[in-house]
Amino acid sequence: MPALFRYQSSLMSLLFHRTRLKSRYILSIFVGLSLGFILSLACLPLMSVCDNSLSLFSDPFSSSINLQLLNETFSFRDPFRILSRQARSVVDVTLVDYGSKDYEPRIHPAPSQQADSGNQSSSTSTQAANTPKVTRPRYIADELGIREKVLVAVLTEANHLNTFAFFLNQTLQNYVNRLLFFVNEDIENFPRSMEVIAIHDKKAYLKPFYVLKYLAEKMIKLYDWFVLMPDNTYVRGFKLNEFLNHISISQDLYMGQSFDDVHAVYCYFGSAIILSGTVLRKVLDEIDWCTNNAYSQDVTDNIGRCILKAAKIPCVNTASNYKFNAYVNYRFEFDTDIERLSKKEEFNQTLTVHPISDLETMLKLQQYFHQVEIDEMTRSIAKYEETIENLSCYAPEGCGNIPWPVGIPPPFKPSSRFDVLRWDYFNETHIYLKTDIDVIDLMKPDDYEDVHEVIGHAVEQFQKKYGVHLKFKKLLNGYRQFDPTRGTHYIIDLILTDANNIEYIKRAELMRPLGLVEIVPMPFVTESTKIFLILPIYSDEQSAAIRFLQHANRTLFDKETHAQFELLLTHIVTSKQDSSQIQKWFTNIRLEVESIRRSRSQLTISYHTILIPSSVTTSTHSTHILDYFETKLREDSLVFLTNAYVDIESDFLNRCRLNVIQNVQVSYPIAFYQYHPRIIAQTYRLIENSTIELHKSHGWFNSYAYDHVGLYISDYLKLKSLVPNNISLASTNLYDLFVQFTDLHMLRAPDQALRVRYHPIKCDSIKQSNKLELNRCLIQKEKGLASRSQLAMIIIDNEQAKKPTTKQKKK
């Protein structure tokens, strides 16, 4: 009993203690809620005043009430003091030091789904019905929010578009992603490569706000950084790009350099201003306030006041431990000041120079800073080379076994004898054995310039080592090899002479390393584009045309529809008498077409007749044919012009659709031309109408023929508008006209799906005045017969057949 009593009493005391704790807990919660509610009511007027600073001027308060409210509520800090130019200070805003923080990417997890296990099955259908369908964008860059690096906005004038603005466009366009030039009036005559935007407002001080609004509304989703500057500021594009690559995009940044006061919170507009996209987005929200409170004619004040109101951040010149350097001097004279300034490291590291009064100074600064950047790169390369050489001792190969030059990938190691890289032997004017079918070839202008640049650099290095008295006399031997993993390797033997005309032979080994590989953006093309295949047929090519139709029926016609393909059979006649005989000699072709149509109902084949003068050759008849079809087809029509001897495989048309780009690229595929059938038949049995085998003993890729071309009609019309009247289109190859008068890309590459049967080449009809076409024709006639080894075997067989036998000699 005593024990039981003690247990019950202890249990009752425990229950009593828990009841007291529970009541205290409820009381504390009630007191906390009450205090929070009372404090929120007490602070409500203060928050409303802080959030709406303009209410002090707009509400109909008396002056005494205003004064009392300012004295009581804001006695510790004046919120409008930062808007005054005289009283601005760094103390008035909160500074965030991003330079002392290491930027680390963070992954934000998705909100957790806290659902009851009992209700999970019942709510599944309702949740699926309420969940919106996710539409993914076309490109992954849009989904991931990938943007370009920098956009530069230049405030200029109409009369400066061909001077200062044009210079900035030429020097910056290779380093920034986009350049925009803002002017005060509409203008039509300005350089083609510039993007000019007109602002229709006579108030000059509002111009920067129009620029900010345009960038925030049109460009904020496309770029990370925005640079604002006047047109009389010199900017080092390479240094600017390098500077922005080291700054994190996760911060609100209003960067530049203050001019009049080291404690100023506004960035000087003349030395350029860098804004992050986040700051520009906040500026858009306050753009109305900025325009209403723009009372100054100073662009620096207007932009700085707007950013300070919108983003609550001052101007900084340091971010991520990188400093924005700018040189501002209104009395700057390049010729007198550059010698003094070149000795200062701060000037050599500057990003901008302001102001520049003339273009000559701009050009001199460009040349000077290019040399500064070259010297920096040279020192950096030497430092990296030394580091690599020191670290090579820790490599498995040991010290001194790194490949030459230092920092360049090692030479390519062929896996078999077929992968061995070839060496080209050259002198100062010719290259020997450049291809398997060429013995000697005259250097093209690009090769000539490349070789002589290498020779000049080698002579310069010899003069530094042995003295400037050595002079270059002659190139004795030259060897060149292109390595796809590292670059072009040169070995040259030079004959040098000294002051006494004594000759010295020196060997130099040089390397031209590969540069940075860049992806060239191209317009979007599809394989669904309709293609018009134009097949010119002369009077003696009836059998070749029938053979083309039979081969195309096996390879092309079963995969192409009316919406994607159309065949244009074009009869070429050279006189009116021949035009009267068309129905007679073209009967067999029509019969073949009718038989194909019975099995290919979806196929579209049309007949056309073109009268071309007899003086026009097959190499220059393209312009006459396109002149005829430009009236039959639409301007956005894709055409492929070829000849009747061609065999086209099934995958070629899709490749043509992708390779020909309107207003950008024209395709001139190099076809595989068959050798003479009788010569091939000596070593290989040919079957009538058999497929041309792609083999070096059966044919060659004829790079001298331009009979096959894919282009858009609009590109041809553009070419005709650019060709001068004194040049005849009928006497010039279409390829040469495109290269000379347009900036379109010429895609010239071998295509194994385009094979041409052997046919005799006639060069007599080509006029002697067109020497280029005559040389091309003669080369095709010479090399298109057979390979060198085959021709050599024929000569040997003929010589042995002419020799009399021993019995004939005895008789």
Side-chain angles (χ1 to χ4, degrees):
M1 289 297 294
L4 180 61
F5 177 78
R6 285 195 300 269
Y7 173 76
Q8 290 178 348
S9 61
S10 62
L11 181 61
M12 292 179 62
S13 62
L14 179 62
L15 292 175
F16 178 73
H17 182 66
R18 293 183 60 184
T19 305
R20 292 178 60 189
L21 291 177
K22 186 175 182 180
S23 61
R24 291 181 181 178
Y25 178 75
I26 295 175
L27 181 62
S28 62
I29 293 177
F30 178 76
V31 172
L33 292 174
S34 302
L35 290 176
F37 183 71
I38 295 172
L39 290 176
S40 63
L41 292 177
C43 294
L44 185 59
L46 178 60
M47 293 175 63
S48 63
V49 174
C50 293
D51 291 340
N52 189 7
S53 58
L54 297 179
S55 62
L56 298 179
F57 296 98
S58 59
D59 294 343
F61 290 166
S62 63
S63 59
S64 61
I65 298 178
N66 270 328
L67 183 60
Q68 182 181 1
L69 183 61
L70 288 174
N71 292 335
E72 294 179 358
T73 309
F74 297 96
S75 59
F76 60 93
R77 182 176 177 183
D78 184 5
F80 301 102
R81 196 159 62 90
I82 58 176
L83 302 179
S84 176
R85 179 181 176 88
Q86 290 77 10
R88 62 188 183 186
S89 174
V90 180
V91 183
D92 296 325
V93 290
T94 304
L95 297 178
V96 181
D97 184 14
Y98 291 99
S100 61
K101 298 181 180 180
D102 292 333
Y103 171 71
E104 293 291 340
R106 298 183 299 274
I107 299 177
H108 299 280
S112 59
Q113 298 179 355
Q114 298 177 353
D116 192 6
S117 60
N119 300 330
Q120 185 174 2
S121 59
S122 61
S123 63
T124 303
S125 59
T126 305
Q127 184 178 4
N130 297 332
T131 302
K133 183 179 180 181
V134 178
T135 303
R136 302 190 64 181
R138 182 182 184 91
Y139 301 102
I140 191 173
D142 297 335
E143 184 172 356
L144 298 179
I146 299 175
R147 297 181 293 268
E148 298 287 351
K149 176 62 67 176
V150 58
L151 179 146
V152 176
V154 181
L155 276 68
T156 182
E157 299 177 5
N159 57 351
H160 288 177
L161 288 177
N162 291 301
T163 54
F164 290 103
F166 181 74
F167 178 86
L168 290 175
N169 184 70
Q170 295 298 105
T171 55
L172 286 181
Q173 62 180 349
N174 294 330
Y175 300 103
V176 301
N177 301 106
R178 196 167 183 179
L179 267 168
L180 298 179
F181 297 89
F182 293 86
V183 296
N184 293 328
E185 56 185 334
D186 292 333
I187 187 171
E188 296 181 358
N189 298 325
F190 58 88
R192 291 176 53 190
S193 59
M194 298 174 61
E195 292 188 62
V196 180
I197 301 172
I199 298 175
H200 301 91
D201 198 313
K202 296 182 179 180
K203 299 177 181 179
Y205 67 93
L206 294 180
K207 184 177 180 179
F209 301 118
Y210 285 106
V211 175
L212 292 173
K213 184 178 180 181
Y214 180 87
L215 297 179
E217 292 180 347
K218 306 291 185 180
M219 305 295 173
I220 196 168
K221 295 181 180 180
L222 304 177
Y223 303 93
D224 290 329
W225 302 107
F226 298 87
V227 179
L228 279 68
M229 55 176 288
D231 60 358
N232 61 341
T233 298
Y234 173 77
V235 181
R236 298 175 62 183
F238 176 79
K239 204 71 176 179
L240 176 64
N241 190 18
E242 183 185 38
F243 178 79
L244 293 177
N245 284 333
H246 290 88
I247 301 178
S248 172
I249 62 174
S250 64
Q251 53 184 301
D252 293 348
L253 194 64
Y254 168 44
M255 173 174 279
Q257 188 175 24
S258 59
F259 176 53
D260 54 349
D261 186 4
V262 293
H263 298 293
V265 294
Y266 297 167
C267 292
Y268 179 55
F269 177 71
S271 60
I273 298 174
I274 300 176
L275 297 178
S276 62
T278 55
V279 170
L280 196 61
R281 187 177 289 107
K282 295 178 181 179
V283 169
L284 182 62
D285 298 334
E286 299 288 344
I287 197 68
D288 293 334
W289 184 94
C290 296
T291 55
N292 294 331
N293 291 271
Y295 53 82
S296 174
Q297 297 294 329
D298 189 357
V299 179
T300 301
D301 281 357
N302 291 335
I303 295 178
R305 187 183 303 107
C306 180
I307 295 175
L308 198 60
K309 164 64 178 176
K312 304 297 188 298
I313 57 175
C315 173
V316 295
N317 65 347
T318 303
S320 302
N321 293 328
Y322 285 89
K323 186 179 180 181
F324 182 95
N325 291 321
Y327 180 76
V328 179
N329 186 358
Y330 282 88
R331 298 180 179 180
F332 174 70
E333 292 290 340
F334 182 87
D335 297 331
T336 57
D337 297 343
I338 194 63
E339 184 177 358
R340 172 180 55 84
L341 294 174
S342 62
K343 300 177 183 179
K344 297 182 179 180
E345 185 64 21
E346 185 177 0
F347 179 78
N348 292 332
Q349 296 298 324
T350 189
L351 293 177
T352 61
V353 179
H354 177 84
I356 306 300
S357 58
D358 55 86
L359 283 178
E360 184 179 359
T361 304
M362 285 269 195
L363 292 172
K364 291 179 180 179
L365 284 172
Q366 179 81 353
Q367 182 179 4
Y368 171 78
F369 282 115
H370 276 179
Q371 187 60 44
V372 171
E373 292 164 5
I374 291 174
D375 295 340
E376 290 179 356
M377 290 182 182
T378 304
R379 292 192 297 268
S380 179
I381 291 173
K383 181 180 178 180
Y384 286 132
E385 287 180 352
E386 183 180 359
T387 304
I388 293 174
E389 291 176 355
N390 295 333
L391 293 177
S392 65
C393 297
Y394 300 95
E397 295 82 4
C399 299
N401 290 323
I402 55 177
W404 179 88
V406 179
I408 303 298
F412 170 76
K413 294 182 179 180
S415 57
S416 64
R417 63 186 180 91
F418 301 102
D419 298 330
V420 176
L421 301 177
R422 65 182 301 148
W423 285 87
D424 296 329
Y425 179 81
F426 61 87
N427 57 21
E428 296 184 45
T429 56
H430 292 77
I431 298 179
Y432 296 84
L433 302 175
K434 186 177 181 180
T435 62
D436 295 334
I437 58 177
D438 294 329
V439 177
I440 185 173
D441 190 15
L442 184 66
M443 282 186 184
K444 296 181 180 180
D446 294 339
D447 291 331
Y448 184 86
E449 183 179 357
D450 175 68
V451 168
H452 283 76
E453 183 180 358
V454 170
I455 294 175
H457 182 74
V459 172
E460 181 181 350
Q461 297 303 317
F462 282 131
Q463 290 177 347
K464 289 181 179 179
K465 185 175 182 179
Y466 299 107
V468 295
H469 59 279
L470 288 179
K471 303 296 181 183
F472 171 73
K473 181 179 180 181
K474 182 181 179 182
L475 174 65
L476 186 61
N477 300 302
Y479 306 90
R480 182 178 67 177
Q481 180 193 62
F482 176 72
D483 192 330
T485 62
R486 60 202 315 251
T488 307
H489 192 188
Y490 300 88
I491 298 178
I492 56 177
D493 297 328
L494 304 177
I495 299 179
L496 305 174
T497 59
D498 60 6
N500 299 324
N501 291 330
I502 301 177
E503 295 184 354
Y504 301 90
I505 298 178
K506 297 292 183 181
R507 167 164 288 191
E509 187 176 0
L510 303 98
M511 169 65 65
R512 189 189 294 273
L514 293 175
L516 180 64
V517 179
E518 298 181 4
I519 298 177
V520 179
M522 298 294 286
F524 180 74
V525 292
T526 63
E527 297 181 354
S528 61
T529 306
K530 185 173 182 179
I531 186 171
F532 295 88
L533 180 59
I534 303 176
L535 188 71
I537 305 174
Y538 286 85
S539 58
D540 57 346
E541 297 177 345
Q542 299 179 48
S543 59
I546 295 175
R547 186 168 51 190
F548 168 83
L549 291 172
Q550 293 174 351
H551 185 272
N553 190 31
R554 298 192 301 268
T555 59
L556 294 181
F557 295 159
D558 59 337
K559 298 182 179 180
E560 300 293 341
T561 62
H562 169 72
Q564 294 182 331
F565 177 78
E566 184 174 341
L567 179 60
L568 308 178
L569 297 178
T570 306
H571 317 154
I572 305 298
V573 295
T574 57
S575 64
K576 294 183 178 180
Q577 296 178 355
D578 293 339
S579 61
S580 61
Q581 302 293 327
I582 288 177
Q583 297 295 334
K584 180 179 180 181
W585 64 264
F586 207 66
T587 303
N588 296 332
I589 297 178
R590 290 182 180 273
L591 293 175
E592 185 66 30
V593 171
E594 293 300 326
S595 64
I596 292 174
R597 280 177 173 171
R598 285 192 290 269
S599 59
R600 313 289 186 190
S601 59
Q602 82 284 359
L603 187 63
T604 303
I605 300 178
S606 59
Y607 300 92
H608 305 270
T609 302
I610 300 178
L611 177 62
I612 295 180
S614 58
S615 59
V616 178
T617 61
T618 56
S619 60
T620 58
H621 69 181
S622 303
T623 55
H624 289 273
I625 297 174
L626 293 176
D627 286 339
Y628 172 81
F629 282 107
E630 74 178 31
T631 59
K632 305 293 183 181
L633 304 176
R634 292 169 26 177
E635 292 187 4
D636 58 347
S637 299
L638 171 61
V639 299
F640 180 72
L641 179 62
T642 182
N643 58 42
Y645 300 95
V646 70
D647 287 349
I648 301 177
E649 302 301 326
S650 59
D651 58 340
F652 172 76
L653 293 183
N654 282 338
R655 194 154 49 248
C656 182
R657 293 183 178 102
L658 298 178
N659 290 338
V660 182
I661 306 174
Q662 191 174 10
N663 299 325
V664 176
Q665 184 166 280
V666 176
S667 176
Y668 271 92
I670 301 175
F672 184 80
Y673 277 63
Q674 185 186 31
Y675 286 144
H676 198 289
R678 291 185 181 179
I679 298 177
I680 301 175
Q682 295 181 1
T683 56
Y684 180 79
R685 184 180 178 182
L686 293 178
I687 303 175
E688 187 67 19
N689 294 330
S690 62
T691 304
I692 301 174
E693 185 177 352
L694 194 68
H695 193 271
K696 66 177 183 178
S697 61
H698 294 174
W700 65 303
F701 283 102
N702 187 359
S703 60
Y704 301 94
Y706 299 89
D707 300 338
H708 320 280
V709 54
L711 76 165
Y712 279 88
I713 295 295
S714 59
D715 293 334
Y716 176 69
L717 296 177
K718 179 181 178 181
L719 171 66
K720 290 179 61 177
S721 64
L722 297 175
V723 175
N725 297 328
N726 58 347
I727 296 180
S728 175
L729 295 176
S731 61
T732 309
N733 194 299
L734 187 62
Y735 174 83
D736 298 327
L737 295 175
F738 271 115
V739 172
Q740 185 176 0
F741 296 104
T742 68
D743 55 355
L744 297 177
H745 298 171
M746 295 290 109
L747 182 60
R748 186 88 170 128
D751 199 312
Q752 61 179 2
L754 199 65
R755 307 177 187 183
V756 181
R757 297 187 178 275
Y758 178 81
H759 59 280
I761 299 176
K762 301 177 182 180
C763 301
D764 299 336
S765 59
I766 300 179
K767 295 182 179 181
Q768 297 294 330
S769 58
N770 196 339
K771 294 183 180 180
L772 180 60
E773 287 299 319
L774 181 61
N775 292 334
R776 289 172 178 170
C777 184
L778 294 176
I779 293 175
Q780 293 180 69
K781 189 174 183 180
E782 175 187 350
K783 297 185 177 183
L785 187 62
S787 63
R788 291 183 298 172
S789 60
Q790 290 171 335
L791 294 176
M793 291 300 298
I794 294 175
I795 295 175
I796 293 174
D797 293 341
N798 291 337
E799 290 180 352
Q800 292 179 354
K802 291 179 182 180
K803 291 181 179 180
T805 60
T806 56
K807 294 182 179 180
Q808 291 177 347
K809 288 182 179 181
K810 290 180 180 180
K811 292 180 180 180

